[in-house]
Amino acid sequence: MKFIQMTHWLHQGNIHNQCSLVALPNLIDLITTCIDHPAAANQTFLVSDGEDLSTTELLQRLSRALGKPARLLPIPQSWLETALTLVSKRAIAQRLCGNLQVDISKTRDLLDWTPPVSVDEALRQTAQAYLQNLSKPKLDKSHKQ
């Protein structure tokens, strides 16, 4: 979010990966469901918000949640990966461009669970909290009382 706030143009405008996210309210809701649901005993469940996003889609939606225009340059993903690899940042390229998805179909089916908070609502809440935190005065730790 800080990057979106400070930067005029982002170069991640053409990344077609897929990543699963989980909002804290959805995680809490699933944990609560598992505590109460008899079918949850001795099971392992994966959790996400139920909608996978590419890095480009995430930046677009996060920009919208922050009330900022999404100024994304459509640099081909292969160029970005190559450039980051050339400067010894291969791990960053993998995080930005790689897939990281989980399948929550077992969680949905066995527990009859649906994430209560949508991706867009979670991003809106996160952006709102971030913006409120920016407006709070910072404590000056250099002055001890």
Side-chain angles (χ1 to χ4, degrees), residues 89-141:
K89 300 293 183 185
R90 179 87 181 122
I92 292 174
Q94 289 174 334
R95 285 190 300 235
L96 280 176
C97 302
N99 293 325
L100 183 57
Q101 294 174 276
V102 296
D103 180 1
I104 65 167
S105 58
K106 174 185 171 184
T107 306
R108 287 179 184 266
D109 297 341
L110 193 60
L111 302 177
D112 192 30
W113 181 79
T114 302
V117 177
S118 70
V119 170
D120 287 321
E121 177 59 19
L123 291 175
R124 188 195 65 73
Q125 291 173 6
T126 302
Q128 183 179 17
Y130 172 78
L131 293 172
Q132 285 175 349
N133 192 43
L134 280 181
S135 65
K136 290 181 182 176
K138 304 295 182 221
L139 294 176
D140 184 3
K141 295 181 181 180

